Amino acid sequence: MTDNNNNGAANASSGDVQIQIPAAPKAEGAATQDAESGSSEAKNWRRWFIVAVDILFLIVGQTSASLLGRYYYSQGGNSKWMSTFMQTAGFPILFFGLFFFPSKSSSGQSDESPIAKTALVYIVLGLIIAADDMMYNSGLHYLPVSTYSLICASQLAFSVVFSYVLNSQKLSGLIFNSVILLTLSDLLVGVSEEPYDESAGVSRGKYLLGVVLTLGASCTYSLILSLMQLAFENVIKERTYSAVLNMQIYTSLVATFVSIIGLFASGEWKSLKHEMDMFKSGQFSYLMTLVWSSVSWQMASLGMVGLIFEVSSLFSNVIGTSAIPIIPFFGVMIFHDKMNNGVKIIAMLVSVWGFVSYVYHHYLEDRKARKASS
Ligand SMILES: Nc1nc2[nH]cnc2c(=O)[nH]1
């Protein structure tokens, strides 16, 4: 699988799995240099396997996190900063991952990352992630789900622009086809949701604020993905999977710190005890919702960062976006939402079409690169 200039290759050594990406941006098809070695087929399969696991993590994590977030609000949860906190606070569980994928940077090889620059990358990205999470949660707070989903559909368009400008992403007809279909499918999700309930009591000012924040979150999220790809290519020199874990751990650490400051500075922390006591399904359910929501967000983010590392920021966003139409189906089952004349099914089918179009683009690129290297 190749995507633009960030071509990864799985490298199996002494039983563990390492993902390799070239230190500097290379032309399309550079990953196939690996194919020159005898074990290229095995490496290729191994890499496909890791990409598949990342996709699974992103889809399962994103779907469960979204549903748990909705459950939190439906049961009486009301804190925007708590929602923001949950999106990153589960990062300590990723330290277990470092046992399986340890950093190899003490070998004295030339692939050691410059510590100061790497730390700066983690801090800057962590701050932007905190801002994005806050805008993302505020949007959901102020807007009806339908309007929110419609605005979130702009995310992929932002991603095309950022990945073209920052990551020199090559844009093919199939990619445009995929982006248009996935955006259309998200728009269909938006129109299939319940229309705005005037009685919800959100003022016009807050409604407009919600629109601006949601648009800001869509733009910022796409920027984060492209900046991460840029950082992997230019600053983080480590070529093992621990680079993915470290990126996720340290950016989450910074973002969690910011959300704790937000919780205290906004005074929202004072209402948390009351929120827990008044949670409709009980205190234990409240704690479990927070815990599993945090775990789900970590799972989703790990898949998201893994896909950026192994393929590209645009690919990562395409996978995340193509999974959005799955969420309303669970909404029908769990929250007894309406099916709305099959619009949700059409959204799902359009999304699958968009996804297949993108994967087919990769298949063609991969084949072209293999031919060129043989
Ligand atoms: N803006 C935005 N923020 C996120 N944080 C986690 N997922 C998302 C997403 O899809 N969009």
Side-chain angles (χ1 to χ4, degrees), residues 62 87 132-133 136 155 217-218 221 297:
Q62 179 178 271
Q87 277 190 256
D132 168 60
D133 288 346
Y136 189 65
Q155 191 160 297
S218 295
Y221 184 71
W297 277 122

Side-chain angles (χ1 to χ4, degrees), residues 40-59:
S40 67
E41 272 302 303
K43 286 176 185 171
N44 207 31
W45 277 110
R46 211 176 263 269
R47 178 154 183 273
W48 268 104
F49 175 73
I50 289 167
V51 169
V53 171
D54 281 332
I55 291 176
L56 195 72
F57 270 36
L58 177 50
I59 293 178

Side-chain angles (χ1 to χ4, degrees), residues 27-99:
E28 191 90 27
T32 52
Q33 284 169 352
D34 252 7
E36 287 164 19
S37 77
S39 58
S40 67
E41 272 302 303
K43 286 176 185 171
N44 207 31
W45 277 110
R46 211 176 263 269
R47 178 154 183 273
W48 268 104
F49 175 73
I50 289 167
V51 169
V53 171
D54 281 332
I55 291 176
L56 195 72
F57 270 36
L58 177 50
I59 293 178
V60 173
Q62 179 178 271
T63 306
S64 52
S66 301
L67 292 167
L68 283 165
R70 188 160 160 206
Y71 184 74
Y72 168 76
Y73 283 120
S74 75
Q75 297 294 300
N78 200 34
S79 167
K80 293 190 289 293
W81 279 110
M82 179 50 92
S83 303
T84 303
F85 175 77
M86 284 189 294
Q87 277 190 256
T88 50
F91 71 88
I93 57 171
L94 298 185
F95 282 110
F96 289 111
L98 286 175
F99 286 116

Side-chain angles (χ1 to χ4, degrees), residues 12-32:
S13 67
S14 60
D16 61 1
V17 179
Q18 299 170 30
I19 310 298
Q20 294 191 334
I21 55 173
K26 290 183 183 175
E28 191 90 27
T32 52

Side-chain angles (χ1 to χ4, degrees), residues 308-330:
I308 296 172
F309 182 74
E310 289 151 32
V311 189
S312 73
S313 55
L314 187 57
F315 184 77
S316 186
N317 214 344
V318 161
I319 298 298
T321 308
S322 59
I324 287 176
I326 298 173
I327 300 168
F329 278 93
F330 285 95

Side-chain angles (χ1 to χ4, degrees), residues 280-302:
K280 284 183 200 153
S281 49
Q283 291 181 348
F284 183 70
S285 166
Y286 179 78
L287 291 175
M288 285 298 103
T289 305
L290 298 193
V291 167
W292 288 108
S293 184
S294 306
V295 171
S296 301
W297 277 122
Q298 283 310 308
M299 203 174 167
S301 303
L302 193 62

